[in-house]
Amino acid sequence: MDKNELSALISLLDDPDENVFFHIREKLLSLGQEIIPILEDAWEHSFDSLIQQRIENIIHKIQFEKIARELKEWAKPEHQQLLEGALLIARYQYPDLDQEKVYKAIDRMQQDVWLEINNKLTAFEKVRIINHIIFDVHGFSGNTTNFHAPQNSFINNVIESKKGNPLSLSIIYTIVAQNLKIPIYGVNLPEHFILAYRDEGSLLPVLANDSTDRVLFYINPFSKGSVFSRKEIDAFLKQLKLNPDASFYEPCSNLEILKRLLRNLIQSYEKLGYPHKSEELELLLNSLSN
């Protein structure tokens, strides 16, 4: 379909007949991502609020379906890179986000840690350096005043504002650490999200009965990287009146992290009274499970 035919089709978007509109909409949706610039141009040159609204909805639908497909592909075991997944979810709210800006910010933190770290340091010393770089040098902190805001879950927004929730700060911390081969992983704790520093030496994994035996200590990025032990998790679970399940102590997969990220966003938008967004995010969550 050439540009003139597309323009003629778009001009019919104000048709009051719902059946006519449905067929036009389906035709435009079938053309995919390539027609978005044309739709955006039509929106800019239209003075009809109905056409503008319908164009906005069609563009959003095209972008949403693309993200759902890409998340489904990301969920394959060989593709589960944490930063790529976090950026995919951020594109739900910010379809035109500058991914390069996020990559550069992560690279700067990673480079700053690398300059100060060496293999002779203990695990605690390495964590102290990461904490210093992320929280003191780069100024990241927990968003305590607006804890449930959706913006705390979008990595591009967290990079820009330098404020996030436990999960988003843990994601940034994990990405920096793992890029430097430091064995820090997410732990899917109820009502909170923390990190575990695992001993990946040659002897301990052989002696360990399960993966929790390999955890040297835990890290709380929401509290500027404070270090604590299993006993603190026991006390936290007791406070929540929850039985201590093994998954509350063990490192979780990147897939579980992304699912948690989407659940956080679903809750955030429900609290704000945006059921449509919550429903869409539920569909994205389902795309990770299918």
Side-chain angles (χ1 to χ4, degrees), residues 124 127-128 131 135 173 192 194-195 217-229 232:
F124 282 107
V127 165
R128 269 202 298 269
N131 288 346
F135 303 115
Y173 199 113
H192 204 58
I194 57 173
L195 300 174
F217 52 83
Y218 297 93
I219 306 161
N220 182 6
F222 195 70
S223 183
K224 295 199 170 184
S226 60
V227 171
F228 58 99
S229 69
E232 279 77 14

Side-chain angles (χ1 to χ4, degrees), residues 209-257:
N209 294 323
D210 60 53
S211 62
T212 57
D213 292 332
R214 304 181 189 183
V215 175
L216 293 178
F217 52 83
Y218 297 93
I219 306 161
N220 182 6
F222 195 70
S223 183
K224 295 199 170 184
S226 60
V227 171
F228 58 99
S229 69
R230 184 184 176 110
K231 289 181 180 179
E232 279 77 14
I233 298 180
D234 292 337
F236 180 68
L237 293 173
K238 188 175 181 180
Q239 185 181 347
L240 293 176
K241 297 180 180 179
L242 292 173
N243 293 324
D245 189 273
S247 65
F248 301 159
Y249 302 87
E250 298 175 357
C252 64
S253 67
N254 288 345
L255 179 60
E256 288 305 313
I257 291 175

Side-chain angles (χ1 to χ4, degrees), residues 116-134:
E116 295 196 29
I117 218 157
N118 63 71
N119 291 329
K120 294 179 182 178
L121 298 176
T122 66
F124 282 107
E125 289 168 335
K126 289 177 181 177
V127 165
R128 269 202 298 269
I129 289 171
I130 298 173
N131 288 346
H132 172 65
I133 296 301
I134 292 178

Side-chain angles (χ1 to χ4, degrees), residues 127-190:
V127 165
R128 269 202 298 269
I129 289 171
I130 298 173
N131 288 346
H132 172 65
I133 296 301
I134 292 178
F135 303 115
D136 297 332
V137 175
H138 288 270
F140 283 85
S141 64
N143 192 341
T144 55
T145 58
N146 204 6
F147 184 85
H148 295 290
Q151 288 78 9
N152 293 328
S153 293
F154 297 119
I155 192 168
N156 60 311
N157 193 79
V158 176
I159 290 288
E160 186 172 339
S161 69
K162 298 189 182 291
K163 289 191 177 293
N165 57 29
L167 181 55
S168 60
L169 292 174
S170 292
I171 287 172
I172 291 169
Y173 199 113
T174 302
I175 291 167
V176 170
Q178 290 185 8
N179 283 348
L180 293 167
K181 310 300 181 188
I182 299 171
I184 293 174
Y185 303 92
V187 178
N188 218 351
L189 190 63

Side-chain angles (χ1 to χ4, degrees), residues 11 33 70 80 103 183 191-192 194-195 208 217 242 251 260:
S11 69
Q33 198 79 6
E70 291 180 356
Q80 293 176 17
Y103 291 135
E191 303 295 329
H192 204 58
I194 57 173
L195 300 174
F217 52 83
L242 292 173
R260 177 83 177 247

